[in-house]
Amino acid sequence: MGFARHQPEAEMLAGLLAELDIPVLVRRTTMDVPDMLAGGPRELLVPADRELEARALLDPYEPIGDAPA
C-alpha cells in the first residue's frame, strides 16, 4: 500500500491511519541490521477494502485509479 523511509515515519503514518480506524501493519522491507535500529524502509499494509481511503489520507495529491493527472 505505502512506504516509509524509517520506523519513526512509519509510526507517524500508522497513527494517522489509526485515527480513522484503518488497520495497518508495518513491516521492514529489508533485512534487520542491528546498527541501523529504526533505520531502513518500512511497508505499510492495510486491508484491500480500505486501500483507497488510506491512500487519499496519506497522499491527497496523488491521483487514484483512472483519475486524470
Side-chain angles (χ1 to χ4, degrees):
M1 189 244 110
F3 292 94
R5 292 172 293 198
H6 43 70
Q7 184 67 31
E9 182 179 46
E11 290 174 0
M12 181 197 69
L13 297 174
L16 290 173
L17 294 170
E19 287 181 14
L20 292 178
D21 296 323
I22 299 174
V24 61
L25 172 70
V26 177
R27 71 176 182 187
R28 293 179 189 271
T29 60
T30 59
M31 294 178 50
D32 188 12
V33 179
D35 293 340
M36 293 181 65
L37 298 176
R42 304 292 195 269
E43 268 186 315
L44 289 100
L45 305 172
V46 299
D49 63 330
R50 305 291 301 270
E51 181 179 2
L52 291 178
E53 184 180 0
R55 284 187 184 276
L57 172 70
L58 297 180
D59 193 356
Y61 300 107
E62 179 180 323
I64 296 175
D66 295 330

